Amino acid sequence: HSLRHARSRNYVSESEVCKLESVPLDFGDYHPLKPITVTESKTKKMTRKGSTSSTSSSSSSSVMDPLSSVLDGTDPLSLFAAAADPVTAAPPTDGARRKRDKDESSAVGSDFEPWSSKRGEILARYTTTEKLSIVSGGCHRKATTTGSAVSEKVRTRLEELDDLEEGSQKELLNLTQQDYMNRIEELNQSLKDAWSSDQKVKALKIVIQCSKLLSDTTVIQFYPSKFVLITDILDTFGKLVYERILSMCMDNRVSLPDNFSPESVNDTAKETCLNWFFKIASIRELIPRFYVEAAILKCNKFLSKTGISECLPRLTSMIRGIGDPLVAVYARAYLCRVGMEVAPQLKESLNKNFFDFLLTFKQIHGDTVQNQLVVQCVEIPLYLTLYSPAIDWILQCIAYHAPDVLLTEMMERCKKLGNNALLLNSVMSAFRAEFIAARSMDFIGMIKECDESGFPKHLLFRSLGLNLALADPPENDRLQILNEAWKVITKLKNPQDYINCAEVWVEYTCRHFTKREVNTVLADVIKHMTPDRAFEDAYPQLQSIIQKVITYIYDFALLFSVEKFLPFLDMFQKESVRVEVCKCIMESFIKHQQESTKDPVILNALLHICKTMHDSVNALTLEDEKRMLAALINGFIKMVSFGRDFEQQLSFYVEARSMFCNLEPVLVQLIHSVNQLAMETRRVMKGNHSRKTAAFVRACVAFCFITIPSLSGIFTRLNLYLHSGQVALANQCLSQADAFFKAAVSLVPEVPKMISVDGKMRPSDAFLLEFLCNFFSTLLVVPDHPEQGVLFLVRGLLNVIQDYTWEDNSDDKVRIYTNVLHLLSAMTQEAFIYHVDKVDSNDTLYGGDSKFLAEINKLSETVVSQILDHLKTLGKEETLRRQSQLALYFFNTILAHGDLRNNRLNQLSVNLWNLAQKHGFADTKTMVKSLEYIKRRSKQPEMSHFTDLALRLPLQSRT
């Protein structure tokens, strides 16, 4: 009988000794996390008696929260948030401070939709394929002034304006829309360049040139977009002039406060400002003169307090001189835009502006306009829609925070004008949704009275629907409103017009009615959109309809009982769109489905939807997309439960496996779900399987065993083999568990050096080490197979580790071997530290048999000699630090698990201790602590031999 290598352990008494001492608690308002409540108090200097610190504490409690103390109150996310939010961030520059003050002081709140948000929509909607022309150069007519009536100053001013470099006037014809936009962008840039190179007159000329373009309506359907592009340039100009004059008011580097009075402006600045206004007043043509003055309206603040309020009415009246109603209405819109920015309190002039527009409204139907439309082949309905952005904007400015009385007055005025569909539409777009919704029936009445030939009626119903999606009409009118609107919508012949309206009204229907009405609406959409495959041009709207339906009907049993819902999905025949829609539905299901389901209607529909998503995966699908689809399918699989009908549940998983075989994460989820099912069966049977349940559990185990090999990730396979083996063991399927563990052992040699983790290549040894340690813990309780010899799985695994080629600079092999020693030491105990219920492990099978122990000792010796061989190879100069660390690591293993009454082991531990210190790489603190530990252990019963050991372990001084 060879000497014992492993010391015998009494796990129960050891755990008693190591337990933390328990302290009686008063459970009044005690909570273990309570002391660390961090309440943020504002930083005030607090003077406390005898307190030297002047800063306030950031925590009201006595115990500091460890995370706050490290971060010193500056956690990275708050910093980003502060940087992103200009109001809370420290103002970096004067300009930014001014901008912020302006935002706070101006009367327009965040509930006012700014022009910038409309810009993109207008550019996208009003486009043209016709050719456009643009004049590059400037006003090139010599001033012919009569006698000396014009003063010298004015004459030079006019000449400055008129005198451009020779030959710079070129008309660029035949530009496409994109060329035109690029050209305008170039002009914008050259304005900035001219300004920064101090050529102020050239800058003004560019602006005049651009505003002249606004009088040209040759390609009329592009006009709204042209307005957007050119007013961008005007805005830039207005900003440049204002900031230039403001910078002249800098007094000793201190800029003016935001609400400065004209008295605090110095004379130079005033002179410059007047000079700008005089220059602009000498522009001959009305349109450029109006636009350029409106652009610098804000500069009136430098001259007098009442400047702006005097200017606005004058500019409003100037617009009366513009003959073309379309050009005039956009000029009014621009005036409202600058007015809202500079003086939102001056509502009267806004209202005057609008009433002026109403007076000239009949011009739209006059001969001049009609003739122009004939020339350009533009129909009246199309022409009228060109007014919408301008009128919408004017009305939005008027309606902002306006009392209902004013809105009602506006409505009355619109009613008085005949054929007012255009205005009606703008009223519905601009006024508050609550105001419109409350008067829905009135509006429907007005819409019905409108003339068919003018502004398209369906657009009016669309605008009404948009309001009803935001606010609710009176309850008694709801059904009648839907009927009236749908009567008109369903008669629309053009699929595009139809779907644009239907999309809006679906929301109203879902919001206020039952699935019956929703079904009717869906059926109507299918009827309109199926002929001639009209749905192919309307995917965005159809997607939006689905989105609205699932937003309001998120009980899926109800949703799938809407007869037309699945036929509606069949209209999405373009794969990418179809998959997007399926994703939306699955996201909604995962978000809203509270408890698991076995409803066959839901299961069949969702399996069909998941299958569509799965089948869209091909070789070109991005990893992210695959991950997302798999996550949605997994979310569905987790929500399916047949209660106690476990067989039905397993057959569902088998069906899912055949349907989703291309998405690895789904297969992984199915394996976990089936393992869970086996463990659930064990729980129900309290561990005592009947013949039927034993057969069922074996079926579950077989499912996992044949699914795992089809996975590609090597660690996924290893971990699932181990996990499934543990489940098989827990269910007393011993031969199946052995098969899993053998498969895992034979897979280890295939682990590559590098594996891909989140798209990056990483060394695999850390993952392998973690897996093997996990595996060893399981192998302790796995009983030996009667025909396979002692510890056959452990030996098999050791052979594989021995043959595995490790990296030269890695010591993982030694770390694995030391873990094997922990396992072997645990195997020699009379009773193991843990067991699997109803499974006899080797402690019971061998009952401490001496031959068994001799086998373990022989294995231990082999492993120890392997470790020592490795330590020898580390004797070179560059690897001495590693040698020292490993020697100490191995020393601690022997200390914890070895029986040091065995002289050879005792001597080995002393040698390792000396080797660790030999070249001065050992950490003195660690060595001192280890020695103290040994001395402390020597006082415990049966540990007296540690006293001698402590005497044989010298501490080297590091000199």
Side-chain angles (χ1 to χ4, degrees), residues 432-646:
R432 285 191 292 281
E434 297 73 20
F435 178 89
I436 306 286
R439 300 166 178 71
S440 300
M441 289 311 293
D442 291 355
F443 275 100
I444 285 184
M446 286 155 71
I447 293 174
K448 284 166 118 175
E449 283 168 27
C450 284
D451 177 6
E452 277 297 332
S453 66
F455 193 86
K457 236 179 220 191
H458 62 89
L459 289 183
L460 295 171
F461 273 109
R462 185 171 190 276
S463 301
L464 180 61
L466 287 169
N467 282 294
L468 295 179
L470 298 172
D472 298 339
E475 199 150 329
N476 306 335
D477 296 344
R478 287 177 187 172
L479 187 59
Q480 196 185 346
I481 292 171
L482 180 64
N483 287 334
E484 290 287 352
W486 208 261
K487 258 193 307 204
V488 176
I489 297 171
T490 193
K491 283 187 195 139
L492 290 171
K493 298 278 178 287
N494 177 335
Q496 212 51 41
D497 292 346
Y498 170 81
I499 196 69
N500 285 334
C501 282
E503 171 205 356
V504 173
W505 281 87
V506 163
E507 183 153 3
Y508 175 73
T509 316
C510 293
R511 201 169 152 135
H512 300 297
F513 299 98
T514 61
K515 70 167 197 184
R516 203 186 106 233
E517 287 81 359
V518 174
N519 193 46
T520 312
V521 169
L522 292 183
D524 196 61
V525 175
I526 295 173
K527 190 178 92 191
H528 275 78
M529 300 310 287
T530 314
D532 303 328
R533 298 178 71 82
F535 52 76
E536 290 182 344
D537 301 322
Y539 285 138
Q541 292 92 327
L542 295 172
Q543 258 174 292
S544 157
I545 290 178
I546 287 282
Q547 193 68 60
K548 285 168 182 160
V549 171
I550 57 184
T551 305
Y552 287 97
I553 309 183
Y554 43 78
D555 169 357
F556 273 69
L558 186 61
L559 180 66
F560 289 127
S561 65
V562 175
E563 242 171 281
K564 293 292 177 186
F565 183 73
L566 288 174
F568 192 93
L569 287 186
D570 291 338
M571 284 197 293
F572 295 99
Q573 298 196 356
K574 182 178 174 193
E575 191 180 51
S576 56
V577 184
R578 195 183 181 112
V579 171
E580 279 309 309
V581 173
C582 291
K583 282 188 342 201
C584 281
I585 296 172
M586 291 314 297
E587 276 162 10
S588 170
F589 176 76
I590 289 164
K591 184 172 161 194
H592 295 295
Q593 187 71 21
Q594 297 299 322
E595 59 275 344
S596 44
T597 178
K598 58 174 183 181
D599 179 333
V601 177
I602 297 183
L603 294 194
N604 285 329
L606 290 184
L607 272 175
H608 168 68
I609 288 171
C610 288
K611 179 80 176 134
T612 304
M613 296 194 316
H614 168 270
D615 292 350
S616 72
V617 174
N618 57 32
L620 299 176
T621 309
L622 297 173
E623 284 306 315
D624 268 358
E625 175 74 359
K626 285 187 196 170
R627 242 198 310 273
M628 188 180 176
L629 295 176
L632 292 173
I633 296 174
N634 284 344
F636 161 59
I637 288 171
K638 288 180 201 160
M639 291 308 293
V640 176
S641 165
F642 291 90
R644 276 290 182 84
D645 189 348
F646 289 171

Side-chain angles (χ1 to χ4, degrees), residues 41 84 323 348 647 828-829 835 858 907 944:
S41 59
E348 319 72 78
E647 267 133 350
T828 60
Q829 308 305 324
H835 291 90
K858 235 179 6 203
Q907 185 56 49
S944 50

Side-chain angles (χ1 to χ4, degrees), residues 4 6-9 11 825-832 843:
R4 275 188 71 98
R7 67 188 180 88
S8 56
R9 313 274 292 264
Y11 291 121
S825 147
M827 282 188 158
T828 60
Q829 308 305 324
E830 278 176 37
F832 289 171
D843 53 347

Side-chain angles (χ1 to χ4, degrees), residues 56-72:
S56 91
S57 70
S58 75
S59 151
S60 61
S61 70
S62 51
V63 181
M64 191 54 194
D65 161 22
L67 296 179
S68 321
S69 60
V70 175
L71 290 166
D72 178 34

Side-chain angles (χ1 to χ4, degrees), residues 166 300 336:
E166 278 311 308
N300 276 294
C336 287

